[in-house]
Each structure stands twice: as structure tokens, then as C-alpha cells.
Amino acid sequence: MSASAPIALRRDGHTTRLKWHRARRRASDPPFTARRIVEGMRAGASVEIDLVLNADRGCTVLHDRFLNTATTGTGAIADTPATTLRTLCLRDNDAGVLEDQHVLLLDDLAGLLTDMHPDAMLQLDFKESAADLDDVAVAAFAEAVTPFAGNALLSCGDAEAVRILTDAVPALHVGYDPCHHGAVDRVLRWRTYRRFVDAAIEASPRAEVIYLDRRLVFTCADRGFDLIAAFHARDREIDVYTFGRADDPDIDRAIELRADQITTDDADGVIAARR
């Protein structure tokens, strides 16, 4: 593990990994650049990227379904073929063009990830649902991911999409986010904390990591229920998301609750603020 890369914090005998949200090591970084993905994977970091389906039924490494904001392209990714996507450049946080950083496709990653640290983990956060998948998309996903599957984890808010894609790549690690579609508000309104834990595990029984909205985690804790401990008792690791500011005191609270990982846009700043 690289001594200089912001990878984890250790407190009271517990290690909490710092996941580079959208492959951002620093707050000033633009999302999803090849250079940061490669850097993080070589250093042994946990790195997250998002996946959206394109016109050829392969996956594009972007968060939004439209190209206009984050790239030099326009229109829906779903309507854009891979050959066009590869010609587009990413934009920085001020909308400037990054001429040396092109839009990545999932197919491109195998060629980039040739020198990975054994502890590195690339989270592939699938932004579509099972209804968007067909045999062509599943086959393309499996072919692209298989070369580095041992260092990758598929996550999604749709448990059926998780099942379909991870069944296609047995070596791929499994994650699940049960906090979508109004789940957080329902759990907090009805205080169905244990039912939420049981339902999440039932929905995605192979999930190794459960991704939890910070509002849910901290509100439950304020009410006397340790949601992280409840999932730990079921042998699941917990990622609490998302922390935009490095000096956010809730980061320390997540660490005290023994989160296994936090999602942050500024891993460098998190380390520096606690030095």
C-alpha cells in the first residue's frame, strides 16, 4: 500500500477505507479521469466509477445519462455509439475541456489496469436497472470486466441488476445499495430498522458490501439504533456515503460507528484535516 496515497484512516483498532468517489482523489479533480483511476488502483485505494449504457449496449464511465455537462458531446448516452463516445473529452469542474482525458468505456479499463495493487478495489456503480439489461448488454459487461474482476465490485440500487451482472462474472465482488426509491424516508418514518436490514440482505444475499445513505445512518444512531452494527452482525461491510467536505465532522462520527468505508470527494483533504 502506498504511504503517500490517501487510502484509509485507523482509529481505536478499526480501519475505515476512503473511497475515491467518481475517481476523485482531491476536491479539485474532475470525475472519471483515466489518470486517477490508474493511480488509485496502483496505490491500493478503493475507487468508484459509474456506468451508464450506450447505444452499442456497452457501458460508459459517466454518472449522468446525458453528455452535455461532463463532456464535449451532446445528447443521451443511450443514443450515442462507442466510436463517438471515444472521441469526446471530459470537462473539468469549471467546464473547461480536458484535451488529454477522453470519455472512458468499460471496455477500455482492462488495458489500463495492468499494474494493480492486490488490495485495490474498483467499484462499478451501475446507474441503470435490470429492465435496461438484455443479453447483449450482459455479455458485453462480462467480457469487459472479466480481466480485472478480482479487483472489482459491482454495485447498484437494483438488486436484480446486481444479480444478473454478477452471475455473469463469478469472480466479481458484490455490493448493494438499499437506500433508493424512497427507502430512507420510509424507514425513518416507520422506524423499521431491523426490517430494513433483513430486507436488504434478502434482496441481495451475496452482497459483501452494503452502501448506506449517511442521513439514514446518523438518524438511526440519534434514535439509539446502530445500523452499521446491525449489518456487521450479519457479516456485511458498510460504506457510508457521500462526504463532500474534508472537514465534515460526520466523517469522524462514521469512523466512530466503525464504518468499513466512507465515500468522499476529497480523500487527500480528509487525511490532511485529521493529521
Side-chain angles (χ1 to χ4, degrees):
M1 184 179 293
S2 170
S4 59
I7 292 172
L9 289 168
R10 186 166 179 82
R11 187 176 298 174
D12 298 329
H14 181 75
T15 298
T16 299
R17 298 185 299 274
L18 305 179
K19 186 180 71 189
W20 298 10
H21 184 223
R22 303 186 189 179
R24 300 175 74 193
R25 172 176 172 163
R26 303 186 180 105
S28 58
D29 286 339
F32 308 127
T33 61
R35 60 185 170 221
R36 281 295 192 229
I37 295 170
V38 171
E39 176 190 3
M41 295 300 284
R42 287 178 176 172
S46 178
V47 180
E48 183 249 15
I49 59 173
D50 297 324
L51 301 179
V52 180
L53 290 169
N54 58 50
D56 296 319
R57 309 304 291 152
C59 287
T60 307
V61 182
L62 288 170
H63 177 273
D64 299 332
R65 288 178 170 79
F66 289 85
L67 295 163
N68 305 52
T69 302
T71 81
T72 52
T74 59
I77 295 173
D79 298 330
T80 309
T83 52
T84 300
L85 289 165
R86 283 197 171 100
T87 68
L88 303 179
C89 294
L90 296 173
R91 293 187 181 276
D92 63 23
N93 297 329
D94 297 316
V97 176
L98 299 168
E99 294 184 357
D100 63 337
Q101 296 295 313
H102 287 79
V103 171
L104 291 172
L105 304 184
L106 185 59
D107 311 58
D108 300 328
L109 294 183
L112 294 172
L113 303 178
T114 57
D115 184 23
M116 293 181 289
H117 191 286
D119 295 334
M121 186 60 65
L122 183 66
Q123 179 189 342
L124 310 171
D125 197 21
F126 188 61
K127 292 302 183 184
E128 313 275 8
S129 68
D132 300 305
L133 291 170
D134 55 24
D135 291 344
V136 175
V138 174
F141 175 85
E143 182 178 359
V145 171
T146 294
F148 57 90
N151 288 89
L153 178 149
L154 187 281
S155 64
C156 184
D158 183 333
E160 181 62 7
V162 170
R163 183 195 67 76
I164 292 169
L165 293 174
T166 55
D167 280 355
V169 189
L172 189 60
H173 296 273
V174 184
Y176 175 52
D177 183 347
C179 296
H180 291 270
H181 312 299
V184 172
D185 289 332
R186 287 194 300 274
V187 171
L188 295 180
R189 182 183 304 117
W190 299 108
R191 300 177 183 251
T192 52
Y193 314 132
R194 293 198 181 279
R195 189 182 306 170
F196 173 77
V197 174
D198 293 340
I201 292 172
E202 181 180 357
S204 188
R206 292 176 50 228
E208 305 159 42
V209 182
I210 301 293
Y211 297 87
L212 295 179
D213 185 297
R214 58 187 289 184
R215 181 166 67 95
L216 179 61
V217 170
F218 297 136
T219 305
C220 284
D222 290 340
R223 295 177 179 179
F225 186 83
D226 190 335
L227 194 60
I228 294 176
F231 276 107
H232 282 170
R234 304 291 294 274
D235 296 321
R236 268 62 176 185
E237 293 192 349
I238 293 299
D239 177 306
V240 181
Y241 64 85
T242 300
F243 298 93
R245 286 180 30 240
D247 60 351
D248 189 332
D250 279 346
I251 293 175
D252 300 286
R253 194 176 185 197
I255 294 169
E256 289 164 6
L257 289 169
R258 303 181 79 79
D260 302 286
Q261 183 167 273
I262 63 167
T263 298
T264 173
D265 290 303
D266 188 5
D268 263 354
V270 170
I271 294 291
R274 285 153 185 83
R275 214 163 248 143

